[in-house]
């Protein structure tokens, strides 16, 4: 569709005219005119909703909201075209079969071996070994070898040594969806552990001997402590309501030596609505400060983030300070339980705060334990009531912690944002399906690529320059404050207003420091060369064998943020009065600033994109990429990638 | 008067000091004329806390049995608690502190008694003279002149003795204009934009009154800053309704008929008493130890503090935009021209002028646009957010300015030579200081108090190399561009460094800053080493008579 206008949310005057293409995998908007031919790529799987608005004199507006919080506002001249695009997108954005997803056609041109290597990067077996299990207290159980006991659990499950197969199976029958208590994290130092399960089917009075024995076994696996905490992450009211349906929570009287605790984290429906409300606030056109703060409070989002964090802090404290094991559950034990276990692990173990460790953590607490990625993130067309930003909240918790402990994490904000992006993108197979069982059946590892390998390959982009493995913040348990005035929970504009670069700091401290560190490394190398040369020279004053010294190209390295300054050169709309001022000539001010803005958007996005926005690539190329599913690797952002891009047909 | 008369109990033993995030410390409390000194008795970890009485905003006392507790709330927003055994001692100490922290006379303040323990390399009182500023200006334009019309402070009591005005306007005209402007604050040059020759002026409101008085000289003065055929902007920091009401009291605004070349924009910035209330509410929210997120957010919102920040930044950006983008001259004023006017003109310069983002340039800006321009520091900073007494003239006008600078700093972390600590330092010293810099309400009062002779300037201390190094931003790379901050709510944050400073463990953030400094430092060291080696090699190579083929 030609002559489509792409509107800038911040300013209706800054609109780009271009052509809209629909391919099997992407929506692509290519700008006309300017020699840059800026392109906007959106994966169909990222589309969260499409809204056709009432036709106006200028055309038919189409609003595309994406799961990575991008909002694309198009105006299509012809109503008919708009309707066609609308219908196509509705179909394309809601695939019904896994095979339609992008990861099955995505080809980063790696050979079979590289792909297999990629999948081996994160190895949970190795991870449990690292934690120190199996040992005297914990063992691998093969009860779930063929997913016979619990189809949403992995095959390899760690349980207390004293828990026999009989106890496990018995306990599983007393738990929702048979998700029996299993090890999530083991603390080598004091034998305390974090276990996870679903709610017990206790109703008002039911008991299960095996389940009671199971909890007993968990307590025994920690000889230093004479009780365990059972943490129900639901609000008490919800848990009590569940009793009427034959579910519920542990009765302290029936289980010996447990301390039972509710931590009120709301359910997926509340969270979905909360995010919705917050995004509405983000989308407000020039909101006042009170509109924004009131909307933020009203959405409850930060309150929910804090609830998850508080639960994680409670558990980390129990494990690290009291040396007491904790069993965590919610209803099914795959949403709140995953959030809370992973936050607690992150606080407890510095390994999870490294890049590799963070991948392992997600793989362990989310992927392997059957977090329903497909349902929660709507990869396939399904029940909209199942969709909820569960892992988004966990990722935000990590970001909030990064803000409080700037040296504690090996990775930076960009790493988190790109992981969030790919949970929705379906470009890699990691997060497909709802369980390990389904993924095995689909042969994900043979047919798709692993995100972790992709991120690992580009790890230089994701490093936190302030991280040092020998720094005090990278050791031991993190102990965040609890009260909001001590631990300032902030609105994460880097995520939720991610595509509005104008709202973000114009100079990135992270990028600056990374560039400095890179330069430092080059200097170290040069220093060595020079010293060697000097030694040679002094030995034989002839010094004929000259080593060509490396030229420092400081300006090139620092180009990253100097280019950001051109964005600094665009004032926002500070006043409406100014527009109508008669003395302003049309050729000045905003016209050229609009140009600067678009150019800068092109550059100032993530560095892995800015380096390779291939401006020459014209429309001709596009035909090569569709409809068979493009060879081009779309980048994390909607700009286009990449030096890895391959044109299958070309 | 002898301070000793006010000190009923100069010393108390076995006092326990409580501070957030610090374990309680036991020690001895001493009161001197200007300080409260607490020293811990522990030999292994001797600790001393010196608190200026003038830093104390309010104190509370309460008793449990014979153990008295004094809670001291400071102007820098810190709260400390002292447990003092013995009711009489405690009462005596409390009343002494109360008396010493509320001395009426300026000349009893600590700056008049302070003797520096450092060598003065440069007298800060003469570091930033308007004459030097004018010299710089003269090198790019000759349209301006230095006027001494106010040398006896007779034309405008709140202006400095010298001001910069358009060359074509003589002193006689200035005297007439002064009569037409509130408090005699006739339009003077605040900033000259070298890039396009546009000027920013500031003044107070014109005294048009209800019958629309006009003053030809005033019109001539401000028109002298316009290029032929171009227009200028008047940015009035009051809403139109308030400006109209002001006419009833003899004030007013520039009417179109008399100023046809000027377009007036009303950008509302809150008056000082509203700001003080907002300040008090915000600080109260920040001290609320409740764990409830809703309560925190609603209190933050209800304080309106960030709204004021946003309004102020927006007005400053607008002024900067008029000058840089519209190529127009700008006149900024509110009512008196001593508060919101100065906030706008000084922030606009941060945006426009790279020099103001250096340490020296920022100091010059504070001197020029705040101290010399007659912002009544003594009135505004007499009390801070914990004051129990009914407020009179207090308002965090300067703090708001500093916070806006911090907000811009946060968005452009590599474009400022100074760091956050420097801004916090200025905040502290504006409220309580051993230096005389922020005493008095204007240059007139400072001259009468003989501050330059009798007290030390903050700049004398801060500009010493060993102090300066603490305030340098390691990430600084000179940026010659205009920097346009975002004023969207998503882009503005609470200034933790001031408002949560005493309420959060600062260790982790300080460590991060240290890391940043070390990364840069190591890089520079290597750079130096490499350069030295290169030179050495080059010398060796020429000495060795090897033909260069570079």
């Amino acid at each position: 569709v030609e002559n489509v206008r792409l509107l800038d949310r911040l300013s209706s005057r800054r609109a780009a005219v271009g052509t809209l293409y629909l391919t099997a995998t992407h929506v692509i908007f290519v700008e006309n005119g300017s020699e840059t031919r800026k392109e906007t790529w959106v994966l169909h799987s990222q589309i969260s909703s499409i809204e056709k608005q009432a036709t106006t004199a200028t055309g038919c507006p189409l609003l595309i909201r994406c799961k990575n919080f991008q909002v694309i506002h198009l105006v299509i001249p012809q109503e008919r075209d708009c309707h066609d695009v609308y219908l196509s997108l509705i179909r394309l954005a809601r695939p019904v079969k896994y095979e339609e997803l992008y990861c099955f056609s995505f080809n980063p041109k790696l050979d079979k071996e590289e792909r297999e290597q990629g999948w081996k990067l994160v190895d949970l077996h190795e991870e449990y070994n690292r934690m120190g299990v199996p040992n005297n207290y914990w063992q691998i159980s093969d009860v779930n070898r063929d997913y016979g006991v619990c189809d949403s659990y992995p095959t390899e499950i760690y349980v207390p040594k004293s828990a026999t197969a009989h106890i496990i199976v018995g306990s599983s029958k007393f738990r929702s969806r048979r998700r029996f208590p299993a090890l999530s994290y083991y603390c080598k130092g004091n034998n305390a552990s974090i276990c996870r399960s679903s709610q017990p089917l206790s109703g008002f009075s039911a008991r299960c001997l095996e389940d009671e024995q199971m909890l007993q076994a968990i307590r025994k696996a920690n000889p230093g402590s004479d009780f365990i905490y059972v943490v129900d992450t639901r609000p008490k009211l919800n848990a009590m309501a569940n009793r009427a349906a034959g579910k519920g929570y542990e009765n302290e009287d029936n289980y010996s030596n447990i301390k039972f605790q509710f931590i009120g984290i709301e359910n997926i429906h509340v969270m979905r609505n909360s995010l919705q409300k917050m995004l509405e606030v983000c989308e407000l056109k020039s909101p006042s400060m009170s509109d924004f703060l009131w909307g933020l409070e009203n959405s409850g989002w930060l309150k929910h983030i804090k609830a998850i964090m508080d639960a994680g802090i409670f558990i980390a404290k129990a494990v690290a300070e009291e040396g007491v094991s904790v069993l965590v559950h919610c209803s099914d034990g795959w949403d709140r339980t995953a959030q809370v276990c992973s936050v607690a692990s992150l606080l407890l173990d510095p390994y999870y705060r490294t890049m590799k460790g963070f991948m392992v953590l997600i793989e362990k607490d989310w992927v392997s334990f059957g977090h329903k990625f497909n349902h929660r993130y709507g990869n396939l067309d399904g029940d909209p009531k199942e969709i909820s930003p569960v892992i988004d909240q966990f990722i935000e918790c990590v970001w909030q912690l990064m803000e409080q402990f700037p040296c504690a994490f090996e990775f930076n904000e960009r790493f988190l944002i790109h992981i969030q992006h790919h949970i929705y993108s379906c470009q890699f197979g990691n997060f497909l399906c709802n369980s390990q069982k389904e993924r095995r059946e689909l042969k994900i590892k043979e047919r798709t690529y692993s995100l972790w390998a992709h991120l690992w390959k580009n790890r230089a982009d994701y490093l936190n320059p302030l991280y040092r493995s020998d720094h005090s913040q990278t050791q031991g348990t993190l102990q965040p404050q609890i009260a909001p005035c001590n631990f300032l929970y902030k609105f994460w504009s880097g995520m939720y207003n991610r595509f509005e670069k104008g709202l973000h700091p114009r100079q990135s401290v992270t990028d600056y420091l990374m560039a400095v560190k890179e330069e430092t490394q080059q200097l170290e190398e040069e220093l060595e060369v020079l010293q060697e040369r000097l030694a040679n020279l002094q030995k034989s004053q002839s010094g004929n064998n000259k080593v060509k010294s490396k030229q420092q190209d400081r300006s090139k390295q620092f180009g990253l943020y100097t280019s950001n300054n051109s964005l600094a050169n665009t004032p926002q709309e500070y006043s409406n009065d100014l527009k109508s001022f008669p003395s302003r000539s049309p050729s000045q001010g905003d016209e050229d600033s609009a140009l600067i803005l678009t150019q800068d958007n092109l550059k100032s996005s993530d560095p892995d994109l800015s380096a390779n926005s291939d401006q020459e690539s014209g429309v001709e190329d596009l035909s090569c990429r569709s409809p068979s599913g493009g060879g081009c690797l779309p980048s994390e952002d909607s700009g286009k990638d990449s030096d890895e891009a391959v044109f299958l047909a070309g | 008067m002898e301070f000793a008369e006010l000190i009923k109990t100069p010393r108390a033993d076995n006092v326990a000091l409580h501070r957030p995030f610090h374990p309680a410390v036991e020690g001895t409390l001493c009161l001197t004329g200007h300080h409260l000194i607490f020293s811990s008795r522990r030999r292994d970890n001797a600790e001393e806390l010196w608190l200026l009485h003038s830093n104390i905003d309010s104190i509370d006392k309460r008793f449990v049995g014979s153990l008295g507790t004094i809670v001291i709330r400071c102007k820098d927003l810190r709260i400390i608690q002292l447990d003092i055994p013995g009711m009489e001692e405690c009462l005596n100490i409390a009343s002494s502190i109360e008396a010493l922290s509320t001395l009426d006379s300026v000349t009893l303040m600590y700056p008049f008694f302070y003797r520096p323990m450092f060598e003065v390399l440069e007298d800060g009182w003469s570091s930033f003279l308007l004459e030097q500023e004018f010299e710089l200006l003269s090198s790019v334009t000759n349209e301006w002149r230095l006027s001494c019309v106010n040398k006896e402070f007779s034309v405008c009591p709140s202006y400095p003795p010298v001001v910069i005005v358009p060359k074509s306007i003589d002193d006689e005209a200035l005297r007439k204009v002064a009569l037409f402007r509130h408090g005699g604050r006739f339009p003077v040059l605040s900033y000259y934009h070298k890039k396009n020759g546009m000027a920013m002026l500031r003044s107070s409101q014109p005294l048009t009154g209800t019958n629309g008085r006009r003053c030809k000289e005033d019109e001539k003065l401000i028109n002298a800053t316009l290029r032929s055929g171009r227009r200028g902007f008047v940015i009035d920091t009051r809403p139109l309704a308030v400006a109209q009401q002001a006419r009833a009291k003899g004030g007013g605004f520039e009417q179109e008929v008399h100023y046809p070349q000027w377009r007036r924009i009303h950008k509302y910035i809150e008056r000082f008493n509203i700001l003080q209330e907002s300040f008090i509410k915000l600080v109260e929210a920040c001290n609320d130890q409740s764990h409830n997120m809703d309560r925190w957010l609603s209190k933050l919102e209800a304080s309106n503090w960030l709204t004021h920040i946003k309004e102020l930044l927006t007005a400053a950006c607008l002024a900067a935009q008029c000058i840089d983008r519209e190529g127009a001259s700008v006149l900024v004023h509110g009512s008196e021209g001593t508060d919101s006017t100065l906030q706008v003109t000084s922030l606009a310069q941060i945006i426009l002028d790279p020099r103001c983002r250096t340490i020296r340039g920022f100091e010059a800006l504070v001197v020029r646009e705040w101290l010399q321009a007659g912002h009544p520091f003594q009135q505004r900073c007499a009390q801070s957010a914990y004051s129990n007494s009914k407020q009179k003239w207090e308002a965090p006008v300067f703090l708001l300015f500093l916070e806006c600078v911090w907000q811009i700093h946060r968005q452009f972390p590599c474009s400022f030579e100074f760091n956050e600590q420097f801004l916090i330092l200025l905040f502290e010293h504006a409220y309580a200081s051993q230096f005389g810099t922020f005493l008095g309400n204007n240059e007139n009062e400072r001259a009468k108090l003989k501050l330059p002779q009798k007290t030390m300037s903050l700049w004398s201390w801060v500009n010493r190399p060993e102090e300066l190094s603490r305030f340098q931003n390691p990430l600084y790379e000179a940026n010659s561009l205009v920097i346009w901050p975002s004023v969207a709510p998503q882009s503005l944050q609470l200034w933790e460094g001031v408002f949560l400073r005493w309420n959060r463990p600062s260790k982790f953030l300080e460590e991060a800053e240290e890391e940043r400094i070390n990364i840069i430092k190591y890089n520079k060291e290597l750079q130096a080493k490499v350069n030295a080696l290169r030179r050495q090699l080059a010398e060796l190579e020429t000495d060795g008579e090897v033909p260069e083929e570079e």
Side-chain angles (χ1 to χ4, degrees), chain A residues 337-381:
Chain A
T337 300
Q339 290 176 329
V340 168
C341 287
S342 48
V343 169
S345 301
L346 195 77
L347 293 172
L348 283 167
D349 195 332
Y351 174 66
Y352 298 126
R353 306 194 288 262
T354 65
M355 209 177 282
K356 182 84 173 292
F358 192 69
M359 298 173 182
V360 168
L361 183 66
I362 289 184
E363 201 66 37
K364 169 172 79 79
D365 279 334
W366 296 82
V367 178
S368 87
F369 272 105
H371 175 65
K372 301 201 291 174
F373 282 93
N374 175 39
H375 285 163
R376 294 293 174 261
Y377 313 115
N379 296 340
L380 293 188
D381 194 19

Side-chain angles (χ1 to χ4, degrees), chain A residues 257-506:
Chain A
N257 306 322
I258 67 165
K259 281 195 184 168
F260 187 84
Q261 180 88 34
F262 282 114
I263 293 183
I265 302 175
E266 297 290 347
N267 65 26
I268 57 167
H269 312 295
V270 174
M271 299 306 191
R272 178 178 57 243
N273 292 333
S274 171
L275 177 65
Q276 186 53 42
K277 279 191 193 159
M278 187 176 71
L279 291 179
E280 279 163 20
V281 176
C282 297
E283 267 189 57
L284 287 177
K285 271 195 179 168
S286 53
S288 75
M289 201 73 214
S290 351
D291 290 342
F292 178 75
L293 286 176
W294 189 85
L296 191 61
E297 180 198 341
N298 189 45
S299 77
W301 183 258
L302 287 177
K303 180 175 71 183
H304 300 314
I305 295 292
K306 177 171 164 15
I308 296 164
M309 192 82 88
D310 286 350
I313 294 170
F314 174 84
I315 293 165
K317 237 181 167 161
V319 169
E321 289 174 24
E322 300 179 53
V324 176
S325 295
V326 185
L327 171 66
V328 187
H329 69 73
C330 44
S331 296
D332 289 318
W334 51 39
D335 293 318
R336 286 169 276 200
T337 300
Q339 290 176 329
V340 168
C341 287
S342 48
V343 169
S345 301
L346 195 77
L347 293 172
L348 283 167
D349 195 332
Y351 174 66
Y352 298 126
R353 306 194 288 262
T354 65
M355 209 177 282
K356 182 84 173 292
F358 192 69
M359 298 173 182
V360 168
L361 183 66
I362 289 184
E363 201 66 37
K364 169 172 79 79
D365 279 334
W366 296 82
V367 178
S368 87
F369 272 105
H371 175 65
K372 301 201 291 174
F373 282 93
N374 175 39
H375 285 163
R376 294 293 174 261
Y377 313 115
N379 296 340
L380 293 188
D381 194 19
D383 181 359
K385 288 217 153 44
E386 282 280 319
I387 292 176
S388 186
V390 182
I391 201 167
D392 304 59
Q393 290 184 313
F394 164 64
I395 291 175
E396 174 161 345
C397 285
V398 181
W399 179 79
Q400 300 281 2
L401 284 170
M402 280 163 60
E403 289 285 296
Q404 301 294 319
F405 300 94
C407 308
F409 292 83
E410 189 190 16
F411 46 85
N412 57 29
E413 177 184 14
R414 192 181 294 136
F415 185 63
L416 297 179
I417 290 175
H418 285 188
I419 290 176
Q420 192 273 351
H421 176 96
H422 283 297
I423 283 164
Y424 291 92
S425 76
C426 300
Q427 185 179 333
F428 297 93
N430 303 59
F431 309 118
L432 243 46
C433 307
N434 292 320
S435 67
Q436 192 184 65
K437 181 166 175 249
E438 286 182 39
R439 277 188 294 276
R440 291 229 171 131
E441 281 162 4
L442 260 182
K443 297 195 176 13
I444 292 294
K445 291 196 180 179
E446 283 109 276
R447 297 167 70 191
T448 71
Y449 293 85
S450 168
L451 168 67
W452 306 132
H454 172 73
L455 294 178
W456 188 249
K457 202 175 84 191
N458 300 311
R459 60 185 172 278
D461 292 337
Y462 303 122
L463 282 175
N464 170 13
L466 301 179
Y467 179 84
R468 262 193 298 120
S469 55
D470 55 351
H471 192 279
S472 63
Q473 279 184 41
T474 61
Q475 321 296 320
T477 308
L478 293 185
Q479 293 168 318
Q481 297 294 317
I482 304 228
C485 70
N486 304 330
F487 184 122
L488 188 63
Y489 286 84
K490 299 175 196 159
F491 168 76
W492 189 6
S493 68
M495 177 63 94
Y496 306 107
N497 284 112
R498 180 180 158 199
F499 290 89
E500 287 159 57
K501 302 289 182 200
L503 298 180
H504 304 158
R506 313 306 166 85

Side-chain angles (χ1 to χ4, degrees), chain A residues 290 306 468 473 484 486 503 506-507 519-520 524 526 533 537 542 568-569 574 577 581 584 588, chain B residues 263 290-291 298 301 325-326 411-412 414-415 484-486 491 503 511 515 522-523 534 537 541 546:
Chain A
S290 351
K306 177 171 164 15
R468 262 193 298 120
Q473 279 184 41
N486 304 330
L503 298 180
R506 313 306 166 85
Q507 295 171 321
E519 193 198 47
T520 300
E524 277 172 344
E526 191 186 354
R533 220 172 112 198
L537 260 179
S542 66
N569 250 348
Y574 297 115
D577 306 324
F581 190 51
R584 195 179 133 251
Q588 75 183 93
Chain B
R263 190 188 140 85
S290 132
H291 291 188
S298 86
E301 196 257 318
R325 292 282 152 159
E326 305 294 326
Q411 296 188 26
F412 295 90
C414 307
S415 298
W484 299 105
S486 161
S491 310
N503 274 337
E511 283 172 353
E515 253 342 88
Y522 180 55
N523 177 277
R534 276 193 197 148
L537 268 172
E541 274 163 355
V546 179

Side-chain angles (χ1 to χ4, degrees), chain B residues 336-391:
Chain B
E336 295 89 354
T338 53
D339 293 284
S340 57
T341 305
L342 305 181
Q343 290 175 322
V344 172
T345 57
S346 53
L347 279 173
Q349 292 178 58
I350 294 282
I351 294 165
L352 293 169
D353 187 359
R355 199 165 60 103
C356 293
R357 297 173 223 141
T358 64
I359 292 181
R360 192 96 191 164
F362 189 72
E363 291 171 355
L365 181 76
V366 169
V367 171
R368 197 171 68 236
E369 291 295 298
W370 290 88
L371 292 163
Q372 294 173 350
H375 174 67
F377 274 99
Q378 199 168 309
Q379 289 181 348
R380 297 289 179 259
C381 301
Q383 299 271 265
S384 176
Y386 296 127
S387 160
N388 295 328
S389 55
K390 202 168 161 282
Q391 48 165 299

